[in-house]
Amino acid sequence: NSASPQIQNSNDTTSNQVEVIVQVSSERMDSPRRMSWLLVQGTAKSPTGLQWTFETPVQGQWQEFTQDLKATGNDPSNTAAAAASALNAAPFATWVLALLGAFLGGVLLNFMPCVFPVLAIKLLSITQQADRPKEMRLSAWAFSVGVLVSFLLLGGVMLGLRAAGSQLGWGFQLQSPWVVGALAFMFVVIGLNLSGLFEFGSFVPSSVSSFQWAHPATNALWSGVFAVLIASPCTAPFMGASLGLAIGLPWWQALPVFLAMGVGMALPFMAISLNTGWVKRLPRPGAWMQTFRQFMAFPMYATVVWLLWVLGQQVGLEGVIGLLACLLSLSLLIWAVALQGAFARSMTALA
């Protein structure tokens, strides 16, 4: 890092050289071996358009620190502790507004394209137990607990990374192209499942399927965890300000903000656990549920389009084309596995 170079008026007419003085920034990193330059003809206000790029070797070493870092209070090992001690509690009114904003953001998460299909179908599956109110209420509570615990864990991870000195915000995992690609894979698989191309039960052992059938509450609990996983990349109004404030609060004020967002997201399922009467007003199960399920696949595909746009900002067009090729192969593989015979085996190998 350096300031703008200053060209000295010390032209040597015999050797045709110009001396350039560069003020080194105090926030510099390690000394580079070579330095890249962009030379533009003309002035900053009226450039001619001609430009050249070249590299020059860096001679000598940058100035080393001679003072004791610990004595000056600049010891990197104490950075996290100093940052943590510098956190100030927010005023009560501000904290309450942050809780309210996080709650409203959690409610709106239910209507985001990447969340609504999963939550809507899970809600319908739980309400199908209307003839068994006790089991329906237990499944709704289990799903809610899964959502709340997941938000607390996510908040704890972010606060822990903050204490380690990282600068993070909500959706920090989207900064990694590998995570963006993995999320695109997951949403494509969910979309193909909702479209009816395959069923998850055909890919899991019978013992796992029987366990899920015998323990619906456990299945609902893990469904809540999965719902938070797919909701983490999404954003909603009111969430940005509240979670941005939570990152700068002490842990005893920050964690309730994450919990409030979880309460908002789990609100429909909490409503079932508190009062099952309104379930009778929902449409009865029928053929419309299959159509609704297939239609819910398109918001998942729309989320994949958005993830591809995010990936394009990180790795460029070539990376997006590479991921699309992988998604195409994944779709072919899922379709081929459900088939039988030699053709299925050849298509599986091709995928």
Side-chain angles (χ1 to χ4, degrees):
N1 297 329
S2 61
S4 300
Q6 302 294 329
I7 301 179
Q8 303 296 321
N9 295 324
S10 57
N11 294 344
D12 188 344
T13 56
T14 59
S15 60
N16 195 23
Q17 293 181 350
V18 177
E19 181 181 2
V20 179
I21 305 298
V22 179
Q23 181 66 37
V24 179
S25 171
S26 60
E27 300 178 356
R28 64 184 184 272
M29 303 296 288
D30 293 337
S31 175
R33 296 177 180 268
R34 302 185 66 82
M35 184 173 292
S36 299
W37 299 88
L38 172 63
L39 184 63
V40 180
Q41 185 178 22
T43 63
K45 295 183 179 180
S46 58
T48 63
L50 299 178
Q51 60 184 20
W52 301 266
T53 58
F54 57 93
E55 291 186 350
T56 58
V58 177
Q59 299 179 354
Q61 295 293 329
W62 289 3
Q63 181 181 1
E64 300 291 341
F65 287 105
T66 57
Q67 299 180 359
D68 187 0
L69 294 179
K70 293 185 178 180
T72 59
N74 294 325
D75 184 7
S77 62
N78 295 330
T79 302
S85 62
L87 296 176
N88 296 322
F92 180 76
T94 303
W95 183 55
V96 171
L97 289 177
L99 292 175
L100 179 60
F103 173 77
L104 294 177
V107 173
L108 293 178
L109 267 179
N110 293 301
F111 302 98
M112 298 301 292
C114 59
V115 182
F116 179 73
V118 175
L119 294 188
I121 293 174
K122 186 61 182 179
L123 185 63
L124 288 176
S125 66
I126 292 179
T127 54
Q128 287 181 4
Q129 306 174 6
D131 55 337
R132 304 185 301 276
K134 183 177 180 180
E135 295 182 6
M136 181 177 65
R137 187 177 292 108
L138 180 61
S139 297
W141 267 117
F143 185 91
S144 302
V145 170
V147 171
L148 296 179
V149 171
S150 299
F151 268 105
L152 285 177
L153 289 177
L154 182 60
V157 169
M158 293 185 64
L159 295 179
L161 293 175
R162 179 195 68 182
S166 300
Q167 299 293 329
L168 300 175
W170 180 254
F172 65 94
Q173 66 278 7
L174 294 182
Q175 298 175 3
S176 170
W178 293 100
V179 174
V180 175
L183 289 173
F185 268 76
M186 182 177 66
F187 283 116
V188 165
V189 171
I190 297 175
L192 294 177
N193 172 255
L194 295 176
S195 298
L197 188 64
F198 76 100
E199 296 295 336
F200 284 109
S202 60
F203 289 92
V204 299
S206 58
S207 58
V208 176
S209 301
S210 60
F211 177 81
Q212 292 180 345
W213 179 260
H215 301 82
T218 303
N219 186 24
L221 176 67
W222 286 109
S223 298
V225 176
F226 178 73
V228 175
L229 176 65
I230 65 174
S232 59
C234 297
T235 57
F238 308 105
M239 286 175 55
S242 298
L243 295 180
L245 176 63
I247 295 301
L249 295 178
W251 68 267
W252 57 272
Q253 279 191 328
L255 287 181
V257 175
F258 289 96
L259 184 63
M261 186 166 56
V263 171
M265 183 175 176
L267 185 62
F269 298 86
M270 289 183 173
I272 294 179
S273 62
L274 296 176
N275 183 12
T276 60
W278 65 272
V279 177
K280 299 179 181 179
R281 300 181 181 179
L282 295 177
R284 294 183 178 181
W288 69 270
M289 295 183 63
Q290 183 64 21
T291 303
F292 176 76
R293 174 181 173 178
Q294 294 175 354
F295 176 76
M296 286 296 99
F298 292 97
M300 309 306 289
Y301 298 142
T303 304
V304 175
V305 173
W306 172 69
L307 288 172
L308 290 173
W309 175 80
V310 174
L311 185 68
Q313 305 300 311
Q314 298 172 336
V315 299
L317 180 61
E318 292 79 5
V320 172
I321 294 177
L323 180 60
L324 285 173
C326 293
L327 295 177
L328 177 62
S329 300
L330 174 66
S331 303
L332 177 61
L333 175 63
I334 293 176
W335 173 75
V337 168
L339 301 177
Q340 302 291 335
F343 177 76
R345 290 191 293 269
S346 61
M347 288 293 100
T348 301
L350 176 62

